[in-house]
Amino acid sequence: MKNVAIIHEWLTTYAGSERVVEQMLHEYPKADLFAVADILPDDEREFLQGRTPHTTFIQKLPFLKKLLRHYLPLMPMAVEQWDLSGYDVVLSSNHAVAKGVICGPDQLHVSYVHTPIRYAWDFQAQYLRESNLTWGIRSMVTRAMLHYIRLWDKVSSSRVDAYVANSHFIARRIQKCYGREATVIHPPVDVDAFEPTYEKEDYYIAASRLVPYKRVDLVVEAFRLMPHRKLVVVGDGPMFKSLKANCPPNVELLGYLQHDRMSKLMQNAKAFVFAAEEDFGITPVEAQACATPVIAYGRGGSLETVIDGVTGCFFAEQTPQSIAAAVDTFESQAGQFDLPQIRRHAEGFRPERFRKELSDFIEAEWAKFDGHRRHQPHCDNSANGSQSADSPSQSPVIIGDPLGMTVS
């Protein structure tokens, strides 16, 4: 294995999927990096390790920072334009279109999937509802665009030789959407960036981007039902103003905080409250790295990062009442949690573990792929039944091709 290309969707901020790419770049320091567009701020570029990503024509489109997501319909075509023929292994980091790159038969394509594109598959109804696109012309246009994206996403899924999922939850979604098996390798979490604290203060914490699917609004409403308990919310986003305008007195919204302040609050909190149905969920692991128990919605990736009754507890429904009941249950059991054990559990998600599991998987896939490639029988035109030079060529028809196109 000589040359590796790493494909990422778009570079806008240093967040969860970018931390995965960071570790890929550590493991393959000579790899080239490709991205649909690169608008990373200068103070967040360190993880690229000096690389300038190869981008697409979307990089040159107007008002890129403001309209990047609106260019999504162009992205399938954009990723198909890269010439990746010089690489032995293509490693894509996919949550939208990265896995759709075109590779040759002698190239191994491994796709690390954060999620199949949510808003084109099972989250479509929620996306349309939260975007006020359930009715009207704009709704019809958006539905048509998502239909096109979904068809392309399904077709391009066959271009991948081996899938890796960031959780068993996502592996099931890959099976449902693409009909493909996936090996699970949990993403890396920088647990060493968080110091454990074993003396807790009397408040709870929620921390995430304030967007609808994170369901921080439900956590705030749950604490409205518990005026004797304090909640601190860290994060910024489109919902900040509406939450601030209707915030109960026992809930404090702090907005975006630098890492040091946020981690300090997480270290000292009695518990971390997490209401989203996440693909994996890095923040609950970071909370556990602080030796802070997690009260989480019992679906999605949380089932793989939180151990019920050991490192936290679950609630069954995304409602304020269910969250409040889980907090009551936690309060009655708080003294039973072994805080050092919570920290030890988080250490199982270290970046070193991720890099080893990923590189071992790729090496094994490459060995199978290369061995199969080397032992392919060569075509022998002199064999019995071969076509003579005088006989007409018979090109096989592509089954299901509406245009009746053929290949020679």
Side-chain angles (χ1 to χ4, degrees):
M1 186 167 57
K2 297 180 180 179
N3 299 317
V4 177
I6 295 174
I7 316 296
H8 190 51
E9 250 96 29
W10 47 77
L11 294 164
T12 59
T13 186
Y14 178 57
S17 61
E18 287 74 29
R19 297 181 189 195
V20 170
V21 170
E22 178 180 25
Q23 297 306 319
M24 291 176 175
L25 294 172
H26 274 298
E27 188 62 30
Y28 300 104
K30 295 183 180 179
D32 291 327
L33 178 62
F34 294 76
V36 169
D38 174 15
I39 51 175
L40 269 173
D42 290 341
D43 60 352
E44 296 185 27
R45 304 190 68 85
E46 184 178 354
F47 80 97
L48 297 180
Q49 302 165 34
R51 290 177 177 81
T52 299
H54 302 274
T55 57
T56 68
F57 66 83
I58 289 177
Q59 184 73 28
K60 299 180 180 180
L61 295 180
F63 309 109
L64 185 61
K65 289 185 179 181
K66 182 178 180 180
L67 299 179
L68 176 61
R69 301 301 174 95
H70 292 79
Y71 292 140
L72 178 65
L74 299 176
M75 292 183 187
M77 180 174 65
V79 300
E80 291 176 345
Q81 306 309 306
W82 280 316
D83 178 6
L84 302 175
S85 58
Y87 300 95
D88 301 304
V89 175
V90 174
L91 175 58
S92 58
S93 163
N94 182 84
H95 59 78
V97 298
K99 71 166 186 13
V101 294
I102 296 175
C103 301
D106 290 333
Q107 295 173 286
L108 174 68
H109 181 182
V110 174
S111 186
Y112 187 91
V113 179
H114 309 279
T115 178
I117 185 167
R118 294 189 195 96
Y119 33 89
W121 290 96
D122 49 322
F123 279 44
Q124 175 179 295
Q126 178 180 331
Y127 168 75
L128 293 172
R129 187 169 56 252
E130 292 173 351
S131 303
N132 294 318
L133 291 170
T134 57
W135 187 253
I137 297 297
R138 290 179 63 239
S139 174
M140 293 175 62
V141 172
T142 302
R143 290 173 191 270
M145 183 269 289
L146 293 176
H147 177 70
Y148 152 71
I149 291 290
R150 187 162 51 249
L151 292 177
W152 178 87
D153 194 41
K154 173 63 176 176
V155 168
S156 66
S157 68
S158 64
R159 300 174 186 173
V160 177
D161 295 296
Y163 278 100
V164 180
N166 69 356
S167 66
H168 293 281
F169 176 60
I170 292 304
R172 293 194 298 272
R173 294 191 72 220
I174 291 170
Q175 177 63 51
K176 190 74 173 180
C177 297
Y178 306 148
R180 299 285 299 275
E181 298 292 329
T183 297
V184 175
I185 299 177
H186 290 131
V189 181
D190 188 7
V191 297
D192 290 336
F194 298 85
E195 290 291 331
T197 299
Y198 302 114
E199 296 295 329
K200 302 299 184 180
E201 299 179 16
D202 192 20
Y203 67 89
Y204 293 82
I205 187 171
S208 82
R209 288 181 294 119
L210 300 183
V211 293
Y213 87 93
K214 294 290 187 179
R215 304 320 307 266
V216 176
D217 56 324
L218 296 180
V219 181
V220 171
E221 290 305 309
F223 277 81
R224 190 188 301 276
L225 302 175
M226 302 179 288
H228 55 294
R229 293 186 178 132
K230 181 180 179 181
L231 173 69
V232 173
V233 178
V234 178
D236 201 357
M239 297 181 66
F240 182 85
K241 288 184 179 180
S242 61
L243 288 174
K244 188 74 171 177
N246 191 32
C247 192
N250 61 319
V251 176
E252 186 177 6
L253 268 68
L254 300 180
Y256 171 79
L257 298 180
Q258 294 291 338
H259 172 80
D260 289 347
R261 287 190 62 196
M262 193 274 285
S263 61
K264 192 71 174 177
L265 286 167
M266 197 176 285
Q267 288 167 358
N268 294 323
K270 183 180 289 187
F272 179 82
V273 187
F274 189 70
E277 182 180 350
E278 276 283 19
D279 307 323
F280 173 75
I282 287 178
T283 314
V285 179
E286 294 174 339
Q288 291 169 88
C290 296
T292 299
V294 176
I295 302 171
Y297 179 44
R299 291 193 61 181
S302 294
L303 294 173
E304 300 173 47
T305 59
V306 180
I307 304 173
D308 192 24
V310 178
T311 70
C313 62
F314 296 120
F315 52 91
E317 299 176 351
Q318 286 179 309
T319 65
Q321 293 77 14
S322 186
I323 297 171
V327 172
D328 288 339
T329 300
F330 172 79
E331 286 279 349
S332 67
Q333 301 174 349
Q336 302 176 19
F337 287 95
D338 183 342
L339 300 189
Q341 184 177 4
I342 295 175
R343 167 69 186 196
R344 289 194 297 271
H345 172 66
E347 289 174 348
F349 296 92
R350 287 181 179 276
E352 296 84 355
R353 182 271 321 162
F354 169 81
R355 293 201 301 267
K356 184 178 189 308
E357 290 183 7
L358 182 65
S359 63
D360 287 351
F361 177 82
I362 292 175
E363 288 295 332
E365 289 298 318
W366 175 256
K368 291 189 294 184
F369 179 84
D370 195 42
H372 178 73
R373 180 182 64 169
R374 291 176 184 275
H375 290 89
Q376 284 291 308
H378 294 286
C379 183
D380 184 358
N381 290 330
S382 65
N384 290 335
S386 63
Q387 182 175 290
S388 70
D390 296 329
S391 61
S393 63
Q394 302 242 342
S395 300
V397 176
I398 302 175
I399 298 175
D401 179 6
L403 300 181
M405 296 178 66
T406 60
V407 293
S408 57

